[in-house]
Amino acid sequence: MTEFDEMGFTPGILRAIRDLGFEQPMPVQEKVIPMMLNEERDIIALAQTGTGKTAAFGLPLVLSTDSMSNAVQALVLCPTRELCLQITGDLHSYAKHTGNLKILAVYGGSSIENQIRELKKGVHIIVATPGRLIDLIGRKVVRLQNVRTVILDEADEMLNMGFIDSINEILEEVPEGRRTLLFSATMSPEISSIARKYMDNPAEILIGTKNSSAENVSHYYYLVHAKDKYKVLKRISDFEPDIYAIIFCRTRRETQEIASKLISDGYNADALHGDLSQAQRDAVMLKFRQKNLQMLVATDVAARGLDVDDLTHVINFSLPDDTEVYTHRSGRTGRAGKRGISISLVHLKEKNNLHKIERMLKKPFKSLPVPTGSEICRKQLFNWVEKLENVTTYHQEIENFLPEIKLKLEKLDREELLRRVVSLEFDRFLDDYRTGDENIEVFTDKEFSFDRPERKPSWQKSQGNYKRLFINLGKSDGFYPEQLIELVNSNTRGKKIPIGRIELLRNFSFFEVEANSADKLIGALNNSMFMKTRVAVEIAQEKNSSPHRSDPSGRKKAKAPDRRNGKRRSKVSY
Ligand code: AMP
């Protein structure tokens, strides 16, 4: 194994590495650093966050930047403001003992004037989010003609966030002879196309397996009814008194709901989602980073910029549709050589999704039994007993009060004293779990076997007293069961209309409604608005009968094919 001090770094950089406590280069560093320092080639590195990739490009960048020159020599592009600040902080720490290297973070959502002022003073390395950099280029305050190295960090995330045009535009601005490094967790056709267009015969470095989550993450799941998910989440956190976790939800609303419930149930939790202001998000992230918060309930998008190393768990309150999103989520635990745990709360309808993720990761998921009330009480109790055993008492004030306390409690023997202290501490758990066990319906693995023959899709026919309706809204509109129910409620003036099965597709959906209410509901919903879309609802056609040939709303996007089971189906086949 190559050591840092054999790599050709200056004493100043080696000192910074020691200050950071890095003893050995991590695999991505072993591969990327020598290539950056000794060869001229472009590099594509497929590496997840947490593998040490910032130092892999950052240390050589600091070494090769000339602080005597006044020009911008390196550009690091990354998807979010948080990552931008983090990379900048890391680069500053690598350059701590290296002269006067000027590194500037430029990102959206904060004063552009301050950034312009700093740029004018002269900068050697710019770390930027693409949108803000384009803005600054447009104002002619950034000059990139002396850039020798461009780093695209988390390139897949940048593309997911729609930065492709900005990236293309920026790459057109930097000189052709520069070197380009691209870091990405996954290799997609879009990444290959950027590589073909802007990179010159790049060396491809693979850290871990392509498209797989970190090796040291174990994947578990709990089989539960959707209605029991929250109870199970509480049990998981009660069973892990020192939990430090991100809980991923699907929508902003679900995120807020779960966080609010946890808070009102006395847990140390908070929400992170896009409905919060930037200042609120910053405050929550800071609390979480400083570990003043144990559980962060978040959407994928909002959690993107948050980078913490020592999460004990990632919890998928809802499984993502996209398997790559699962990889990103679970890759947030098990970092920097530690073991990580990714837990999914899976209900029956999600089993295929879980199976798909399992296949993609090529790792089996282990089913866990939901901890029982008595297991939880035992775990909490002994965790507390251990703390009691190890607590150091150093306050003089306590000594002063002791004689009086002793006198007051003198009638209680040791056992009674213990009983009372424990009861004070544990009443919540004991009350919660005294009768709790029968409230959660527990599945066995067999009942949930992936090999179980598929039931006939329940939505193909309206069941019993229900009618099946078509609606021109789907997941791509941010339309999920909560939104459907809210839409129905808000257009029926509080009159409760029973909804049956819901089948959400990408661009449109089907749902069942009590037959008697169907016509009324169609009348109420038609022409109402969901976000900026005019809603269109009608009775769904049965399979093979005369189909709707066109989306009733006339929206173009309804023409998009639905790809289920790898087959292209037209929407009219439903
Ligand atoms: P990154 O993938 O760049 O976000 O790095 C993940 C974590 O690994 C960060 O907290 C780094 O400080 C840490 N790290 C990076 N390189 C090393 C190393 N050689 N030894 C120990 N920790 C490291």
Side-chain angles (χ1 to χ4, degrees):
M1 180 184 276
T2 326
E3 304 286 337
F4 279 119
D5 49 13
E6 294 163 13
M7 288 178 152
F9 289 121
T10 57
I13 295 182
L14 288 173
R15 206 171 130 208
I17 293 174
R18 272 197 305 279
D19 288 352
L20 285 164
F22 298 175
E23 287 171 8
Q24 296 280 345
M26 291 170 85
V28 67
Q29 296 159 3
E30 267 194 303
K31 290 188 177 165
V32 170
I33 293 173
M35 212 177 256
M36 267 187 90
L37 295 182
N38 307 320
E39 296 178 35
E40 286 295 316
R41 283 180 76 177
D42 286 349
I43 301 172
I44 296 180
L46 294 183
Q48 315 267 341
T49 322
T51 49
K53 60 189 170 62
T54 316
F57 66 76
L59 291 166
L61 217 52
V62 167
L63 181 70
S64 58
T65 306
D66 177 6
S67 60
M68 303 305 280
S69 147
N70 233 351
V72 179
Q73 296 156 58
L75 180 61
V76 182
L77 291 179
C78 60
T80 60
R81 148 202 162 106
E82 285 77 16
L83 186 59
C84 182
L85 287 167
Q86 195 181 321
I87 296 172
T88 310
D90 286 355
L91 293 179
H92 275 131
S93 62
Y94 309 150
K96 194 162 114 187
H97 308 295
T98 307
N100 192 17
L101 210 59
K102 292 195 187 126
I103 305 159
L104 181 68
V106 300
Y107 48 88
S110 81
S111 154
I112 197 163
E113 280 73 30
N114 288 348
Q115 292 171 3
I116 293 174
R117 210 169 306 124
E118 290 304 314
L119 281 166
K120 285 189 175 155
K121 285 189 207 160
V123 171
H124 301 117
I125 302 177
I126 293 182
V127 186
T129 52
R132 176 54 62 95
L133 187 62
I134 290 284
D135 199 346
L136 292 164
I137 291 172
R139 294 175 189 229
K140 304 214 179 323
V141 282
V142 190
R143 296 160 63 85
L144 299 176
Q145 59 271 43
N146 291 309
V147 166
R148 285 187 276 117
T149 313
V150 174
I151 313 277
L152 303 172
D153 193 20
E154 302 210 351
D156 47 353
E157 283 296 334
M158 286 199 278
L159 297 184
N160 284 343
M161 291 172 76
F163 284 137
I164 180 75
D165 292 339
S166 307
I167 293 173
N168 279 320
E169 208 173 320
I170 292 165
L171 291 179
E172 296 291 344
E173 290 287 319
V174 284
E176 273 197 7
R178 93 271 158 173
R179 157 184 265 189
T180 309
L181 273 82
L182 183 152
F183 288 82
S184 175
T186 52
M187 192 70 189
S188 64
E190 291 82 6
I191 302 259
S192 305
S193 123
I194 291 208
R196 269 198 309 278
K197 202 159 160 199
Y198 295 107
M199 298 176 84
D200 182 18
N201 184 27
E204 199 174 304
I205 290 173
L206 183 63
I207 301 300
T209 333
K210 262 186 206 180
N211 291 332
S212 81
S213 79
E215 276 311 305
N216 40 353
V217 177
S218 307
H219 303 267
Y220 298 103
Y221 63 97
Y222 290 93
L223 307 172
V224 286
H225 270 302
K227 69 174 173 45
D228 289 332
K229 275 191 176 185
Y230 177 70
K231 286 185 205 152
V232 174
L233 175 66
K234 275 184 19 174
R235 286 195 179 204
I236 295 169
S237 43
D238 287 342
F239 195 62
E240 301 286 349
D242 295 320
I243 195 168
Y244 179 48
I246 302 185
I247 298 158
F248 284 100
C249 292
R250 204 189 261 274
T251 60
R252 295 169 183 194
R253 173 193 280 232
E254 185 181 61
T255 305
Q256 189 58 57
E257 264 173 26
I258 300 303
S260 303
K261 273 192 195 165
L262 285 170
I263 295 165
S264 75
D265 285 340
Y267 292 86
N268 181 10
D270 212 335
L272 182 70
H273 55 72
D275 285 344
L276 304 175
S277 69
Q278 184 66 48
Q280 287 172 314
R281 287 199 299 252
D282 286 347
V284 173
M285 286 196 267
L286 183 68
K287 244 191 335 177
F288 190 61
R289 277 197 202 98
Q290 294 176 335
K291 303 211 172 135
N292 291 327
L293 193 64
Q294 274 190 286
M295 288 186 284
L296 183 72
V297 192
T299 56
D300 291 291
V301 175
R304 224 164 244 164
L306 181 70
D307 218 26
V308 278
D309 277 341
D310 34 11
L311 290 184
T312 57
H313 294 74
V314 159
I315 299 179
N316 299 285
F317 189 83
S318 298
L319 275 179
D321 289 330
D322 184 345
T323 45
E324 271 183 24
V325 173
Y326 181 89
T327 314
H328 278 286
R329 288 183 181 181
S330 56
R332 290 173 167 278
T333 181
R335 288 183 175 186
K338 298 192 185 104
R339 289 218 59 78
I341 296 177
S342 171
I343 289 181
S344 302
L345 305 183
V346 180
H347 65 79
L348 293 165
K349 286 186 184 159
E350 290 178 310
K351 66 173 188 171
N352 287 334
N353 207 358
L354 183 69
H355 195 21
K356 203 168 76 185
I357 297 171
E358 242 187 345
R359 274 200 309 256
M360 191 269 299
L361 291 182
K362 297 197 176 66
K363 267 187 166 185
F365 279 37
K366 201 164 168 269
S367 137
L368 287 180
V370 177
T372 63
S374 67
E375 283 167 342
I376 291 170
C377 290
R378 192 184 159 76
K379 186 95 181 261
Q380 287 281 353
L381 204 57
F382 284 95
N383 184 276
W384 178 80
V385 168
E386 202 180 308
K387 282 190 183 141
L388 187 71
E389 236 184 325
N390 297 323
V391 70
T392 37
T393 56
Y394 50 85
H395 291 294
Q396 186 53 43
E397 291 84 340
I398 297 180
E399 298 301 323
N400 299 341
F401 291 122
L402 261 185
E404 204 180 327
I405 296 173
K406 263 184 174 165
L407 199 67
K408 208 158 168 39
L409 299 177
E410 118 191 299
K411 290 199 193 83
L412 305 177
D413 64 19
R414 184 180 150 86
E415 201 170 314
E416 184 56 23
L417 193 64
L418 279 177
R419 191 171 292 121
R420 291 185 185 205
V421 173
V422 169
S423 145
L424 268 184
E425 193 70 20
F426 285 95
D427 268 1
R428 178 174 82 78
F429 285 108
L430 299 172
D431 282 348
D432 265 15
Y433 290 120
R434 185 169 294 130
T435 56
D437 277 353
E438 67 274 21
N439 290 339
I440 294 181
E441 195 175 332
V442 179
F443 295 99
T444 63
D445 239 355
K446 274 199 191 105
E447 282 174 277
F448 195 74
S449 163
F450 287 133
D451 303 328
R452 205 169 59 166
E454 273 285 298
R455 272 186 301 149
K456 190 172 183 313
S458 52
W459 39 265
Q460 279 192 358
K461 276 195 176 144
S462 298
Q463 304 276 316
N465 227 5
Y466 280 84
K467 274 208 169 128
R468 190 159 170 262
L469 305 187
F470 163 93
I471 184 162
N472 66 331
L473 296 166
K475 291 181 202 169
S476 64
D477 302 288
F479 191 70
Y480 291 95
E482 299 92 312
Q483 283 72 28
L484 170 67
I485 287 158
E486 193 183 79
L487 185 73
V488 169
N489 288 342
S490 61
N491 285 286
T492 50
R493 299 206 193 94
K495 185 173 176 290
K496 285 240 173 321
I497 295 197
I499 304 284
R501 293 189 178 83
I502 299 171
E503 174 75 4
L504 292 169
L505 298 166
R506 187 187 297 184
N507 294 323
F508 51 91
S509 306
F510 296 95
F511 64 99
E512 290 179 343
V513 63
E514 195 190 49
N516 289 341
S517 314
D519 288 340
K520 238 191 215 137
L521 186 63
I522 291 173
L525 291 187
N526 266 331
N527 293 321
S528 64
M529 296 302 287
F530 177 77
M531 313 285 233
K532 289 188 179 145
T533 303
R534 189 168 295 282
V535 176
V537 182
E538 63 182 56
I539 305 275
Q541 304 292 326
E542 300 235 338
K543 206 176 173 184
N544 299 331
S545 72
S546 145
H548 341 266
R549 285 287 163 203
S550 63
D551 175 348
S553 70
R555 290 162 74 200
K556 260 199 204 138
K557 70 183 181 85
K559 283 189 195 133
D562 176 38
R563 286 168 188 276
R564 287 155 49 106
N565 307 325
K567 285 189 205 112
R568 191 182 269 260
R569 293 193 192 187
S570 103
K571 78 182 184 69
V572 293
S573 65
Y574 294 98

